[in-house]
Amino acid sequence: MKPKKPKETAAEMTELVLPNDTNTLGNLMGGRLMHWMDIVSAISAQMHCNRIVVTAAVDFVDFKHPIHLGEIVKLSARVTRAFNTSMEVYVKVIGKNLRTGEEKFCNQAYFTFVAVDQDGLPISVPPIEPETEEEKAQYEDALARRNMRLMLAGKIKPDLKILSDLLT
Ligand SMILES: CC(C)(COP(=O)(O)OP(=O)(O)OC[C@H]1O[C@@H](n2cnc3c(N)ncnc32)[C@H](O)[C@@H]1OP(=O)(O)O)[C@@H](O)C(=O)NCCC(=O)NCCS
């Protein structure tokens, strides 16, 4: 299969935080943000493989800054690496106050998607060919992240080397 470049998988989405998206403090709810992150990263994965994809895993997500009612949420995603049937997608979230123009980095996460056929069975995807230094680093590190999530999911045997690969 012909490799694709990360930029060919780039997906962007902009949302406005409305009252129904917020908690009682008037801040965007984490669950709503994760829903949007899931959508933008699924679009990115589908742009890579041109197949139906399902979310297999979401790595650690933390919420660094609240995003307030009336602010804009800019989400961007791209595939960092593809394996056999699975793809790792990096998603980044920026909050923007349109009145002041201030932007803040709020959140990032790695999602894993699996391409499936009409029967829901995993199907092969093309490889990724990173171009920039940042893309190359994310591509290299993706293997350690994959091993860690498969270990945590009980799909591969626990191994301390996996942990040390991730931390180095
Ligand atoms: C994801 C899913 C298709 C994997 O099916 P499976 O029978 O476990 O398939 P396999 O073990 O052959 O794995 C297929 C791929 O999924 C990956 N995978 C499976 N579980 C994973 C996990 N927990 N984390 C990361 N990747 C995972 C495997 O590494 C493999 O990738 P590879 O082919 O690139 O090596 C299946 O578990 C599924 O359909 N899950 C539900 C998906 C869903 O409904 N998502 C929405 C959740 S609300």
Side-chain angles (χ1 to χ4, degrees), residues 60-118:
F60 184 75
V61 184
D62 60 354
F63 301 95
K64 295 183 194 311
H65 300 286
I67 308 178
H68 307 291
L69 177 65
E71 291 186 339
I72 295 292
V73 185
K74 300 199 300 184
L75 302 107
S76 52
R78 61 166 188 250
V79 177
T80 56
R81 185 158 179 171
F83 296 94
N84 304 309
T85 63
S86 66
M87 296 149 280
E88 183 192 76
V89 179
Y90 172 68
V91 53
K92 186 168 93 175
V93 178
I94 305 278
K96 180 169 177 130
N97 181 313
L98 284 181
R99 192 171 48 80
T100 63
E102 187 201 353
E103 289 197 352
K104 56 194 175 197
F105 170 75
C106 292
N107 200 323
Q108 66 183 352
Y110 289 97
F111 282 63
T112 302
F113 290 89
V114 175
V116 293
D117 65 16
Q118 294 299 333

Side-chain angles (χ1 to χ4, degrees), residues 38 54-58 82-87 112-116 120-123 125 146 149-150 153 155:
D38 192 27
V54 294
T55 315
V58 184
F83 296 94
N84 304 309
T85 63
S86 66
M87 296 149 280
T112 302
F113 290 89
V114 175
V116 293
L121 297 174
I123 187 165
V125 298
R146 168 189 160 92
R149 64 178 77 95
L150 290 178
K155 296 239 161 189

Side-chain angles (χ1 to χ4, degrees), residues 2-154:
K2 189 168 169 271
K4 278 197 181 162
K5 301 189 170 29
K7 69 182 174 201
E8 295 176 84
T9 72
E12 296 200 344
M13 206 165 103
T14 305
E15 295 284 341
L16 171 66
V17 180
L18 292 169
N20 206 31
D21 303 321
T22 62
N23 60 21
T24 49
L25 291 172
N27 297 329
L28 175 64
M29 281 185 294
R32 179 78 80 213
L33 180 58
M34 288 183 69
H35 174 65
W36 292 338
M37 292 168 81
D38 192 27
I39 293 173
V40 74
S41 50
I43 293 170
S44 171
Q46 287 182 67
M47 284 167 65
H48 179 65
C49 64
N50 305 112
R51 290 281 183 178
I52 301 166
V53 299
V54 294
T55 315
V58 184
D59 291 10
F60 184 75
V61 184
D62 60 354
F63 301 95
K64 295 183 194 311
H65 300 286
I67 308 178
H68 307 291
L69 177 65
E71 291 186 339
I72 295 292
V73 185
K74 300 199 300 184
L75 302 107
S76 52
R78 61 166 188 250
V79 177
T80 56
R81 185 158 179 171
F83 296 94
N84 304 309
T85 63
S86 66
M87 296 149 280
E88 183 192 76
V89 179
Y90 172 68
V91 53
K92 186 168 93 175
V93 178
I94 305 278
K96 180 169 177 130
N97 181 313
L98 284 181
R99 192 171 48 80
T100 63
E102 187 201 353
E103 289 197 352
K104 56 194 175 197
F105 170 75
C106 292
N107 200 323
Q108 66 183 352
Y110 289 97
F111 282 63
T112 302
F113 290 89
V114 175
V116 293
D117 65 16
Q118 294 299 333
D119 298 318
L121 297 174
I123 187 165
S124 302
V125 298
I128 276 282
E129 200 171 76
E131 288 186 298
T132 66
E133 288 309 311
E134 188 191 357
E135 287 167 3
K136 285 177 187 165
Q138 276 186 321
Y139 178 93
E140 289 304 325
D141 295 346
L143 187 59
R145 287 189 296 269
R146 168 189 160 92
N147 286 337
M148 176 56 90
R149 64 178 77 95
L150 290 178
M151 190 176 84
L152 291 174

